[in-house]
Amino acid sequence: MKRRDVLGLLTTGAIGIALPPPRAYAQAAGPQMAALSNYMSAARQRSLPADVVEHARLHVLDTLVAMISGSRLAPGEAAQRFIRDVATKGDVKGDVTIAASNLRAPPIDAALANGVMAHADETDDSHNASRSHPGCSVIPAALAMGERLGVSGEHFLRAVTLGYDVGTRVVLTMGGAKFSYDNVMDTHSVAGTFGASAAAACTAGLDAQRMRWVLDYAAQQASGYIVWRRDVDHIEKGFVFAGMPARNGVTAALLVRSGWTGIDDVFSGPDNFFLAYASKANPEQLTDKLGERYEIALTDIKKWTVGSPIQAPLDGVAAIRGKHPFSADQVQRVTVRVAPSVAAVVDNRDNPDISLQHMIAVMLLDKTVSFQAAHDKARMKDAAVLQQRAKVNLVGDEDLAKLLPARVTVVEIDLTDGTHLSERVTEVRGTVANPMTRAEVTDKARSLIAPVLGRGPTERLIRSTQSMP
C-alpha cells in the first residue's frame, strides 16, 4: 500500500466520524480573569489617548526597523532559510509578508520568522519593570494576523497596545524583574507569549469567552529558560525572546478562532499557571490600572543598538566626553559600575553588541557606536580595539543592585595626565524618564533601514507608520 492510499483511507474514513455535541461550560472565571478578558475583548473598539497612539506608532516603527535591519544578520538569515526550506513548500498557502524579502508564509510561520528578525540583535524595545522585550513578539504577531484578516491601522494599533498591556502584566503579577533575576525561567518569553496572544486575539476580534481560552493556550505554551545566554550566534535568543512567543500567540488565536475550546481561567483554581511557575504571584496585578496605565508608554526605545545593560555606560561615556573632550590615547583606565546581575549579562561576551568591554572600546575610538560597529565581529580582534578594551574594568556593585530594576550606572574615566572624570547615569536616553523624540526615533530608523531598503522605501515606511490613525 502506498502513502497516497493510506492518506486516501484517512480522508474517506473521516467522513463517517460523528463529532461530539458542544460541551456545556460550568466553570466560572474568577474576578481577575473576567475583568481581563472583558477588557481584552473590547480593546479593538476602545479609543486610545492621543499620547498612547503616538507611543504605539513609534514602537511599531522601531520594531519594523529591528526586523528590517535584523534580516541581514545571522538570526534573520536563519529565519528566512526556515521559510524557504519549510513554510513555502508544497501546497501551503503563504499570505503573510516576511520583512525585507520577497517571501510569504502562513501566519504562524511568518510570525516566527519576523519575530526572530525583530530580535536578531539588540535594536528592539524593552520593558524594564517586567524585564521583557514586548515589541519583537507582539508586533510580528499582530502583523501576521492583521495582514491575514485585513484589519485597519486603528484596529492594529489597539491590538499592539493591548499586547504590551497584557504580556507585561502577567510577568509583573509573577514578581516582575525580581522574579526574572531570581529564577532560571525566562520572563522575556513569558511576557512575549501572553502579549503576542493578546495582540493576535484582539486583531482577530475574539469575544471575552474566547479571550479566556486564548490565554489558556498561551499559558500552555509559555516556556523559556536563560540557557540562551550560552548561545554565541544569537539565533536561539532571537527564538526565545521573539520568534517563539510570536508564533505561540498567533497559534493560540488561530486555534480558538477555528473553534477550539479551553478552560475558562488558567490564572486561578487548581493547577493554575501561577501555581506552576510563581506561587507568590499577586493576581490583582493582572488588571491593575488597565485602561489608565498603558505599558507601551512605559517601554524603552533604545538609542544604541546594543544590549540594554550597555545603554547607560555608553550614555555615560558620551556625557563625559561632551563635558570634557578627550581622545582614546589620553585614556588610562575606564571603570564601569553596574549591578552584579546586570554585569553578568554583558561581561566579555562573544558577540560585539552584548560585550560591554568591546562596546566601550569602540566608543572610545569612534566617539559613537553605529549599527555596523555593533555587529562587526571581526573588529573584536583588531589590535587598536583590543588596546582600548584592555583599559576597561567592569565592576559589579552591590549598592547599585539595590536600585534594580532601575539600571543605574557609574562610569569613571582616568586620563593619563591624572584627570579623573565621572558620570552617574540614572536616566538612560530612550527610557520613560528620558525619552527619545520622534525625530530621534525616525533618525535611528533611517540609519538602520536605508542601507537595506533604500532611501525612498525608507521614507515611505516612516510616513505610513506615523500616519496610522
Side-chain angles (χ1 to χ4, degrees):
M1 182 176 286
K2 297 179 180 178
R3 176 176 60 88
R4 186 176 303 164
D5 297 329
V6 174
L7 292 174
L9 288 172
L10 290 174
T11 303
T12 304
I15 297 174
I17 297 175
L19 297 175
R23 183 160 61 115
Y25 294 93
Q27 309 164 241
Q32 299 302 325
M33 176 59 82
L36 179 62
S37 59
N38 286 332
Y39 182 87
M40 291 170 65
S41 68
R44 71 183 186 277
Q45 298 174 327
R46 184 185 300 111
S47 297
L48 296 171
D51 63 317
V52 175
V53 171
E54 174 68 3
H55 281 290
R57 290 169 177 159
L58 292 178
H59 282 273
V60 167
L61 173 61
D62 195 61
T63 303
L64 291 173
V65 168
M67 290 163 58
I68 294 166
S69 61
S71 70
R72 299 300 185 262
L73 301 176
E77 292 172 347
Q80 292 171 76
R81 278 199 308 275
F82 166 76
I83 296 298
R84 283 193 296 268
D85 294 348
V86 177
T88 59
K89 300 299 183 183
D91 297 327
V92 176
K93 180 183 179 182
D95 56 359
V96 177
T97 303
I98 307 300
S101 77
N102 59 2
L103 299 171
R104 300 180 75 80
I108 293 173
D109 296 319
L112 188 156
N114 284 331
V116 170
M117 289 194 288
H119 193 69
D121 69 334
E122 301 294 335
T123 303
D124 54 306
D125 62 19
S126 61
H127 185 269
N128 203 27
S130 64
R131 205 179 182 214
S132 67
H133 289 236
C136 61
S137 54
V138 168
I139 292 171
L143 284 170
M145 290 296 289
E147 187 169 4
R148 161 60 71 89
L149 300 176
V151 303
S152 68
E154 185 176 53
H155 186 171
F156 172 73
L157 286 183
R158 291 172 181 176
V160 167
T161 302
L162 178 70
Y164 277 69
D165 279 335
V166 173
T168 57
R169 275 179 171 79
V170 171
V171 174
L172 293 175
T173 297
M174 297 168 72
K178 186 178 187 304
F179 175 88
S180 175
Y181 287 118
D182 292 345
N183 293 272
V184 297
M185 187 175 189
D186 194 272
T187 50
H188 300 88
S189 60
V190 173
T193 291
F194 282 102
S197 296
C202 180
T203 307
L206 301 184
D207 61 22
Q209 173 67 83
R210 288 171 175 78
M211 287 294 186
R212 294 194 280 275
W213 294 337
V214 165
L215 291 172
D216 179 25
Y217 284 104
Q220 294 290 0
Q221 296 178 90
S223 64
Y225 301 92
I226 58 174
V227 69
W228 53 259
R229 290 181 183 176
R230 304 181 197 172
D231 173 28
V232 298
D233 295 322
H234 208 280
I235 293 174
E236 182 177 352
K237 188 168 184 277
F239 175 74
V240 172
F241 277 45
M244 176 182 71
R247 177 205 66 189
N248 291 347
V250 173
T251 299
L254 286 176
L255 291 178
V256 173
R257 186 173 183 267
S258 72
W260 287 37
T261 60
I263 69 164
D264 284 351
D265 194 346
V266 74
F267 292 141
S268 68
D271 308 320
N272 68 70
F273 176 79
F274 295 128
L275 286 178
Y277 291 115
S279 59
K280 297 181 180 179
N282 176 14
E284 292 183 1
Q285 290 287 326
L286 285 170
T287 55
D288 183 45
K289 295 184 179 179
L290 267 178
E292 300 176 40
R293 189 187 76 227
Y294 292 90
E295 299 301 327
I296 200 166
L298 301 177
T299 301
D300 304 337
I301 292 180
K302 293 179 179 177
K303 174 182 178 179
W304 311 99
T305 56
V306 300
S308 294
I310 308 177
Q311 301 287 318
L314 292 180
D315 276 358
V317 175
I320 290 172
R321 190 172 242 146
K323 299 172 185 176
H324 189 115
F326 60 85
S327 67
D329 291 341
Q330 293 177 280
V331 175
Q332 183 178 54
R333 180 173 56 254
V334 179
T335 302
V336 178
R337 300 182 183 277
V338 297
S341 58
V342 174
V345 178
V346 291
D347 187 9
N348 277 318
R349 298 291 298 277
D350 294 321
N351 288 355
D353 59 335
I354 53 173
S355 173
L356 182 140
Q357 291 89 340
H358 177 71
M359 287 291 91
I360 295 295
V362 169
M363 184 70 164
L364 292 177
L365 288 167
D366 297 356
K367 300 182 181 180
T368 189
V369 171
S370 67
F371 179 83
Q372 290 73 22
H375 297 90
D376 187 351
K377 198 162 187 175
R379 200 176 177 193
M380 297 184 83
K381 298 179 180 179
D382 181 82
V385 174
L386 291 174
Q387 180 184 10
Q388 299 303 320
R389 183 168 175 166
K391 302 174 182 179
V392 182
N393 182 32
L394 177 59
V395 177
D397 191 321
E398 292 292 348
D399 288 337
L400 297 181
K402 299 173 184 177
L403 304 176
L404 289 171
R407 290 176 173 171
V408 177
T409 297
V410 177
V411 178
E412 300 171 287
I413 298 179
D414 293 297
L415 303 182
T416 53
D417 65 2
T419 302
H420 177 79
L421 306 170
S422 179
E423 185 77 16
R424 185 182 180 92
V425 180
T426 58
E427 298 174 352
V428 178
R429 189 64 174 168
T431 59
V432 177
N434 188 14
M436 294 170 67
T437 64
R438 177 191 278 207
E440 287 178 294
V441 176
T442 54
D443 283 347
K444 174 186 172 182
R446 290 185 181 95
S447 68
L448 267 63
I449 63 177
V452 179
L453 299 182
R455 182 175 178 180
T458 295
E459 294 303 321
R460 288 195 293 274
L461 176 63
I462 292 172
R463 286 196 301 270
S464 65
T465 57
Q466 299 315 293
S467 62
M468 280 191 290

